[in-house]
């Protein structure tokens, strides 16, 4: 029993680190993974690495191809578009749920995140990974405040795909700067309890992400969009 618990605890640690590395771009989409090398890297046996990989397969961050191996998920244009639309759907639902009862303390939390992101935009070279973590937290809080665990689980299952796509096509400082203005618009709308303005800001943010995905897809990935659908 102790060995099972120990292996499970190690798998959780490997999962968290490996997931973070995938989302932050340490591994590129389509890159093949070597379980033995990963086990050596993390200083563990193959078992916890395999367990961690299975969790990441469930999140669609890793794919196992029969007779070929284990790979970081290769992004598809359609998948990115659908993930962004699904995220937008959940966020607009959350906006409607919390608009009338968001607390001053929650607004202060959002404001502090904005201040931290503002400061990162002043740093060169731009700390994209740190900014992205705060960006994700900013969006996650909107859904978290709706206090529906089932919806939050759905949202959390969508975000890895969005994050993986962002690593590939949105690392440019100019893109982050452009969309950061949307965060300020979201904050002001929620602070003023203006549901229409909040949804408009979320729509603008989503449209901008989709526009950048379409614009940079051919340049940074592998072939025309039509072939990725």
């Amino acid at each position: 029993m102790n060995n099972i618990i120990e292996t499970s605890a190690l798998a959780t640690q490997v999962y968290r680190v490996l997931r973070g590395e995938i989302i932050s771009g340490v591994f590129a989409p389509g890159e093949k993974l070597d379980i033995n090398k990963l086990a050596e890297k993390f200083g563990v046996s193959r078992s916890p690495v395999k367990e961690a990989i299975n969790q990441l397969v469930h999140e669609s961050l890793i794919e196992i191809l029969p007779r070929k191996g284990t790979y970081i998920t290769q992004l598809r244009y359609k998948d990115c578009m659908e993930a962004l639309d699904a995220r937008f759907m959940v966020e607009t639902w959350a906006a409607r749920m919390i608009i009338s009862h968001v607390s001053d303390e929650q607004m202060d939390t959002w404001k502090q995140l904005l201040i931290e992101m503002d400061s990162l935009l002043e740093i060169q070279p731009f700390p994209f990974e740190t900014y992205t973590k705060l960006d994700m937290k900013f969006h996650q809080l909107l859904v978290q405040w709706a206090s529906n665990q089932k919806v939050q689980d759905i949202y959390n299952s969508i975000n890895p795909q969005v994050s993986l796509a962002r690593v590939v096509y949105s690392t440019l400082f100019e893109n982050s700067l452009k969309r950061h203005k949307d965060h300020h618009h979201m904050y002001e709308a929620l602070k003023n309890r203006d549901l229409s303005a909040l949804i408009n800001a979320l729509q603008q943010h989503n449209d901008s992400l989709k526009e950048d995905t379409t614009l940079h897809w051919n340049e940074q990935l592998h072939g025309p969009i039509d072939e990725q659908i």
Side-chain angles (χ1 to χ4, degrees):
M1 179 64 71
N2 288 339
N3 288 338
I4 295 175
I5 293 174
E6 181 179 353
T7 300
S8 179
L10 288 172
T12 298
Q13 294 177 42
V14 172
Y15 159 78
R16 288 174 179 169
V17 174
L18 189 54
R19 185 180 189 276
E21 290 184 343
I22 292 171
I23 289 176
S24 63
V26 173
F27 297 97
E31 182 174 342
K32 186 173 184 179
L33 298 177
D34 186 316
I35 293 178
N36 291 323
K37 288 184 178 179
L38 287 175
E40 182 179 348
K41 172 182 176 179
F42 293 120
V44 298
S45 66
R46 287 167 51 93
S47 294
V49 174
K50 285 183 177 180
E51 187 174 334
I53 284 175
N54 286 337
Q55 293 182 61
L56 292 166
V57 168
H58 181 70
E59 291 187 11
S60 300
L61 288 176
I62 288 178
E63 54 187 353
I64 299 175
L65 304 180
R67 298 184 296 279
K68 290 185 177 181
T70 302
Y71 296 82
I72 302 300
T73 297
Q74 188 70 54
L75 294 172
R76 295 172 66 244
Y77 178 79
K78 182 181 179 182
D79 292 338
C80 290
M81 293 292 103
E82 290 181 351
L84 288 170
D85 282 340
R87 189 178 80 152
F88 173 70
M89 180 184 69
V90 174
E91 289 181 349
T92 53
W93 172 87
R96 291 185 173 92
M97 293 298 103
I98 71 172
I99 193 69
S100 62
H101 62 265
V102 62
S103 68
D104 291 341
E105 182 180 356
Q106 288 168 334
M107 291 308 307
D108 286 342
T109 300
W110 243 23
K111 184 176 181 179
Q112 184 57 45
L113 284 173
L114 279 178
I115 291 172
E116 291 183 54
M117 287 191 281
D118 286 341
S119 66
L120 292 177
L121 292 170
E122 301 296 327
I123 299 174
Q124 294 297 331
F126 175 51
F128 175 76
E129 181 179 347
T130 304
Y131 178 88
T132 295
K133 289 179 180 178
L134 294 177
D135 187 345
M136 290 177 61
K137 185 176 181 180
F138 184 88
H139 284 265
Q140 287 169 340
L141 283 173
L142 182 67
V143 179
Q144 181 180 319
W145 291 335
S147 301
N148 185 313
Q149 188 59 53
K150 295 297 184 183
V151 174
Q152 194 170 331
D153 289 343
I154 292 171
Y155 187 75
N156 290 339
S157 72
I158 297 166
N159 265 334
Q161 283 286 328
V162 176
S163 299
L164 187 58
R166 182 186 292 157
V167 167
V168 176
Y169 67 76
S170 290
T171 56
L172 293 177
F173 169 75
E174 292 78 8
N175 292 343
S176 296
L177 180 62
K178 175 179 63 177
R179 273 188 294 276
H180 185 58
K181 296 176 182 177
D182 298 333
H183 296 136
H184 280 278
H185 294 154
M186 293 175 207
Y187 170 80
E188 290 298 329
L190 187 54
K191 181 181 177 181
N192 295 326
R193 308 298 195 271
D194 188 337
L195 179 60
S196 178
L198 179 53
I199 291 179
N200 284 341
L202 289 167
Q203 181 75 67
Q204 171 62 37
H205 199 66
N206 191 60
D207 289 347
S208 176
L209 282 165
K210 293 175 75 172
E211 180 182 344
D212 278 344
T213 303
T214 303
L215 179 63
H216 297 292
W217 193 266
N218 290 345
E219 299 174 5
Q220 298 186 18
L221 294 180
H222 39 259
I225 288 173
D226 289 345
E227 295 180 5
Q228 301 305 314
I229 297 176

